[in-house]
Amino acid sequence: MNASAPDEGCAGSVRDREIVAARVIVTCPGRNFVTLKIETRSGVYGLGDATLNGRELAVASYLADHVVPNLIGRDAGRIEDTWQFLYRGAYWRRGPVTMTAIAAVDVALWDIVAKLAGMPLYQLLGGRSREGVLVYGHANGRDIEEASEQVGRYIEKGFRAVRAQCGVPGVHKPYGVARGKAYEPAESELPVETVWSTPAYLNVVPQLFERLRADHGPDIELLHDVHHRLTPIEAARLARDLEPYRLFWLEDATPAENQRAFELIRRHSVTPLAVGEVFNSIWDAKHLIEAQLIDFIRATIVHAGGITHVRRLADFAALHQVRTGFHGATDLSPVCMGAALHFDTWVPNFGIQEYMFHTEETDAVFPHDYVFREGRLHCGERPGHGVDIDEALARKFPYRPKQLPVARLADGTMWDW
Ligand code: CS2
Ligand code: MG
């Protein structure tokens, strides 16, 4: 460290910023969450979400056993250097567990520095680019009728964009359809086996959106999540079949390990495409973005290395007119949502933010200052990302082993859930 470097600045002194403690908090207020809390000598602390649905304890151990010992004594203000240390120093690079752990540290450090500087996180990133953040809600139904009724209820709540999913005739436990009060796919200790039928799905989805346009008109933005289930040519067919209904986006149309697969979809349709909630690095999306094979990148702060990495991804996307569309399901905690909203408030190439209501228990454990108003979420003006954790309350909700479902075809072939 340069001895002549100023010791006192807008984010306190190096001594103020010294990391003196860090701990991993696992809690289950309605569902499992993993949170990293980093404390500095000044008493200011930061929070980062480290939740990886169905693999929470892997990240908790990665943080507690391999990362936290390296944080003690570091300057919390050296956000970039810490990111580089954790990324290059791991030797084993990338992957959802590593990048979720790095993300938790990164977001906690951004939270600390913004608090010490006395500014909301969006200001530290570069200031406000918009008043409020357009969000989309999740409507679903066991059949088209029920799904359309729920879309109507989201419109009544003020949503300007709604994702719609519905049951698939002959398919037991279809993706995206709630089987209780709130939609929570990680419902059992071991994976629930579901069955998938592409023909039945390809038949019902165009009917769903024909009905939604007939019931709700041309103005509401409609989205749909294929959830990785189709081959590229099947995805191309669905994207083309949906063109009359002008979707805001068709999500995860086909698995994206082979980024070039999207060239086939692009050749056949102008339906906008979104991908990336399972991505954890800019490299997962490089060709998709460079070749403009997608319109929205969904990689989010909690799983893609935090603000420091996602900022690079967003800037790269902006060069190719690709916009952000962050993942925002209930298995991303309010800590991630808070940080994402500050990022969304700043980022120039913002597209839309997914917003699923957390349970009341979750909101009680994670008090926050963001609010929904007229179809948009508004982050608060408090220093940092505006989300806290009630540790005493968190302790009342012990971890409960849960895993995501799996999917098979009718003949037993393993498929993508
Ligand atoms: C879905 C998620 O929100 C979405 O777009 O893909 O609900 C996803 O199934 C879960 O986050 C998996 O944990
Ligand atoms: Mg999705």
Side-chain angles (χ1 to χ4, degrees), residues 302-323:
V302 60
H303 298 136
I307 289 167
T308 298
H309 193 60
V310 172
R311 190 170 58 166
R312 291 198 164 90
L313 176 55
D315 285 344
F316 178 63
L319 297 179
H320 303 280
Q321 293 179 294
V322 173
R323 291 180 285 170

Side-chain angles (χ1 to χ4, degrees), residues 68-385:
V68 165
N70 287 291
L71 297 179
I72 308 307
R74 286 186 73 88
D75 174 355
R78 297 182 67 176
I79 300 173
E80 184 67 56
D81 181 66
T82 300
W83 195 96
Q84 298 294 336
F85 175 87
L86 293 176
Y87 182 81
R88 297 166 188 262
Y91 188 74
W92 312 106
R93 297 182 178 193
R94 298 165 64 188
V97 173
T98 298
M99 297 304 276
T100 298
I102 292 175
V105 175
D106 187 72
V107 170
L109 297 183
W110 278 98
D111 191 26
I112 288 168
V113 173
K115 285 172 177 174
L116 286 170
M119 60 176 73
L121 179 53
Y122 72 79
Q123 191 57 59
L124 196 60
L125 290 168
R128 182 180 289 280
S129 300
R130 57 193 54 78
E131 297 307 323
V133 163
L134 177 67
V135 293
Y136 72 88
H138 272 216
N140 62 78
R142 286 164 298 184
D143 55 30
I144 289 174
E145 182 79 27
E146 202 173 83
S148 185
E149 283 167 12
Q150 209 174 94
V151 168
R153 283 200 287 276
Y154 272 89
I155 294 171
E156 286 163 9
K157 286 176 190 163
F159 279 83
R160 302 176 187 191
V162 184
R163 181 187 102 156
Q165 311 286 141
C166 72
V168 178
V171 169
H172 180 50
K173 294 191 175 182
Y175 163 72
V177 179
R179 282 187 293 284
K181 198 159 64 94
Y183 172 64
E184 178 49 73
E187 58 182 342
S188 57
E189 189 164 347
L190 293 176
V192 168
E193 296 230 343
T194 66
V195 177
W196 174 252
S197 163
T198 293
Y201 171 78
L202 288 176
N203 187 43
V204 75
V205 172
Q207 295 175 40
L208 168 66
F209 285 92
E210 180 183 26
R211 175 65 182 273
L212 294 179
R213 281 298 178 214
D215 288 355
H216 306 292
D219 298 332
I220 183 72
E221 296 292 8
L222 294 173
L223 304 87
H224 183 68
D225 191 348
V226 182
H227 219 257
H228 326 278
R229 309 277 171 106
L230 300 179
T231 64
I233 195 65
E234 291 166 346
R237 178 182 146 194
L238 178 62
R240 194 178 60 193
D241 287 351
L242 291 174
E243 284 181 1
Y245 314 115
R246 201 188 51 73
L247 267 61
F248 183 87
W249 81 32
L250 186 66
E251 175 184 340
D252 284 335
T254 191
E257 289 92 327
N258 172 15
Q259 297 182 45
R260 302 200 59 155
F262 282 72
E263 292 169 5
L264 183 55
I265 305 169
R266 226 28 170 194
R267 266 203 296 279
H268 293 280
S269 173
V270 294
T271 293
L273 301 175
V275 76
E277 69 181 51
V278 297
F279 292 175
N280 53 78
S281 159
I282 197 167
W283 300 102
D284 294 329
K286 185 172 180 293
H287 181 62
L288 286 165
I289 291 172
E290 271 174 337
Q292 294 182 304
L293 300 179
I294 59 172
D295 304 275
F296 298 91
I297 181 68
R298 285 184 45 73
T300 192
I301 286 169
V302 60
H303 298 136
I307 289 167
T308 298
H309 193 60
V310 172
R311 190 170 58 166
R312 291 198 164 90
L313 176 55
D315 285 344
F316 178 63
L319 297 179
H320 303 280
Q321 293 179 294
V322 173
R323 291 180 285 170
T324 65
F326 283 163
H327 187 201
T330 48
D331 48 282
L332 285 61
S333 93
V335 172
C336 177
M337 181 56 77
L341 288 175
H342 280 267
F343 192 102
D344 293 337
T345 299
W346 156 74
V347 71
N349 53 318
F350 170 75
I352 198 167
Q353 169 68 52
E354 179 176 3
Y355 175 47
M356 288 180 74
F357 299 110
H358 285 110
T359 63
E360 286 174 12
E361 289 168 316
T362 297
D363 287 341
V365 170
F366 295 98
H368 52 267
D369 62 354
Y370 55 80
V371 292
F372 176 79
R373 199 170 51 241
E374 296 173 1
R376 290 184 167 82
L377 270 177
H378 298 261
C379 65
E381 292 297 323
R382 283 203 308 236
H385 55 47

